[in-house]
Amino acid sequence: MHPPKPRKPRLDGVGRRAPFKRESPSSTFSYYAKRPDESRPNLDRRQSGKLPSKPVKSNRLRFSFWVFLIIIVACIVKVIYLSSDPRIEIVDQTKLSKIYTHSPSDYATATAKLLSGGIANHFKITADTSGIEARLKSQFPELAQVSITYPIIGNKPIVYLSPAQPSLILVSNVGQRFAVNHSGFALAPLGVSVPDGIPVVTDDSGADIRVGKRVLPSSTIEFIEAVAYQFKAAKQPLGGIILPKDLPYELDVQITGRSYIVKFNLQADATEQVGRLLASIESMGSSMPSSYIDVRVPGRVYYK
């Protein structure tokens, strides 16, 4: 078997080799080559405007966040908001104190006015409760204690008021009787019987006594209270206490069953003066003075 003969190159018409022509790819190859790669994202759809819904979802989430935030802020404001319509609670009120205390509506009106005096007072965390308490005590001297609280959930403040108990009964030179508190303010005129244990002081100085005004210095009230306490401890019943006319620093005390008066110095120590008085009474025995015992001079006792 003979090997195949080599093919002769094609020659053109003049005897030269014809140039080589590259065959074009078949139509079948061209069809598959132009098909888009299915593994790649479909760019035509994005360019045509048919985008996924991610921006819409983002807007919805943003809107929900702001709605939730507004609700939270509203709840916080609701909790810390403080109303200017208070609830008044009067505690430790006695039959005597009912005479000179105002009605709860008067206290509520005054408190509401103070609460409305500034924006800060409309919120629990910024309200000046201590300042309001001090102003109420200054406006109503018949109050001994003022306390403002507010509930954790509610918005209405609660004002607890404790009326001052009279430290003494002051009788004017024309016979009018007034309850006077520890600070020396006249609380109210009295037309009822006075409870036992409250000193009764007659003011012969002729001072003008007005309800809500200071009629005596607080130091004078403390002095009289100290004298009354010492006499009670010594079981010496007081017959009367007098503030004499034109003698602003003198206090005259009567002892029940005795004809003389005791002269005290309001600017000296009350306990020390009562001590000297009791010692003098004990040393005198039955020989009592008929007019007075004077203990105003420190370390000395004069009598007549």
Side-chain angles (χ1 to χ4, degrees):
M1 186 174 180
H2 300 285
K5 294 181 179 181
R7 295 179 63 180
K8 294 181 179 181
R10 290 186 302 173
L11 302 176
D12 58 6
V14 292
R16 292 180 297 182
R17 179 179 293 184
F20 174 78
K21 293 183 179 180
R22 183 183 299 273
E23 294 182 357
S24 61
S26 62
S27 60
T28 302
F29 177 79
S30 176
Y31 168 75
Y32 286 104
K34 292 181 179 180
R35 291 186 63 185
D37 187 358
E38 294 181 357
S39 63
R40 300 177 60 188
N42 193 342
L43 300 178
D44 295 337
R45 290 185 179 180
R46 293 189 177 183
Q47 294 176 357
S48 64
K50 297 179 180 180
L51 300 176
S53 58
K54 289 184 178 180
V56 176
K57 290 183 179 179
S58 178
N59 291 335
R60 289 179 180 175
L61 290 175
R62 189 178 295 110
F63 177 75
S64 300
F65 168 77
W66 285 109
V67 171
F68 178 75
L69 183 62
I70 291 173
I71 293 174
I72 293 297
V73 172
C75 292
I76 294 175
V77 172
K78 174 63 178 176
V79 170
I80 67 174
Y81 176 74
L82 194 63
S83 171
S84 58
D85 182 21
R87 191 181 80 192
I88 304 298
E89 296 287 345
I90 301 179
V91 297
D92 300 331
Q93 192 171 35
T94 63
K95 181 179 179 181
L96 184 60
S97 65
K98 288 181 179 180
I99 300 173
Y100 50 81
T101 52
H102 289 70
S103 64
S105 60
D106 291 340
Y107 296 126
T109 301
T111 305
K113 184 177 180 181
L114 293 174
L115 287 171
S116 303
I119 298 177
N121 290 331
H122 288 289
F123 299 96
K124 297 176 183 178
I125 58 178
T126 57
D128 183 18
T129 54
S130 59
I132 295 175
E133 291 169 355
R135 291 185 183 94
L136 286 174
K137 287 186 64 177
S138 176
Q139 184 175 351
F140 301 101
E142 72 275 9
L143 299 177
Q145 297 292 333
V146 178
S147 177
I148 300 177
T149 61
Y150 37 80
I152 298 176
I153 302 300
N155 305 108
K156 179 174 288 191
I158 305 173
V159 183
Y160 293 96
L161 306 177
S162 179
Q165 302 303 320
S167 295
L168 55 85
I169 306 301
L170 188 64
V171 183
S172 69
N173 58 348
V174 294
Q176 290 180 317
R177 301 195 306 171
F178 295 85
V180 179
N181 67 3
H182 183 75
S183 300
F185 286 89
L187 301 176
L190 297 179
V192 297
S193 59
V194 179
D196 294 335
I198 300 179
V200 178
V201 180
T202 301
D203 186 9
D204 288 341
S205 65
D208 185 17
I209 303 175
R210 295 184 182 181
V211 175
K213 301 297 182 180
R214 188 188 295 273
V215 295
L216 290 175
S218 58
S219 59
T220 300
I221 304 294
E222 293 176 357
F223 188 97
I224 294 173
E225 288 178 333
V227 169
Y229 176 80
Q230 294 295 327
F231 268 75
K232 183 178 179 179
K235 297 181 180 181
Q236 292 284 348
L238 287 173
I241 302 175
I242 302 170
L243 292 170
K245 183 179 180 180
D246 299 330
L247 296 172
Y249 303 119
E250 181 177 325
L251 180 72
D252 296 340
V253 175
Q254 294 177 333
I255 303 177
T256 302
R258 306 293 172 90
S259 59
Y260 57 86
I261 62 172
V262 181
K263 298 182 180 183
F264 288 94
N265 182 4
L266 289 173
Q267 292 185 311
D269 182 77
T271 302
E272 191 272 336
Q273 293 181 75
V274 173
R276 281 191 283 118
L277 170 67
L278 296 176
S280 299
I281 293 176
E282 185 177 359
S283 62
M284 290 179 184
S286 58
S287 58
M288 292 294 173
S290 59
S291 181
Y292 65 82
I293 297 179
D294 191 344
V295 293
R296 290 177 294 176
V297 179
R300 297 284 186 272
V301 175
Y302 301 95
Y303 61 89
K304 179 180 180 182

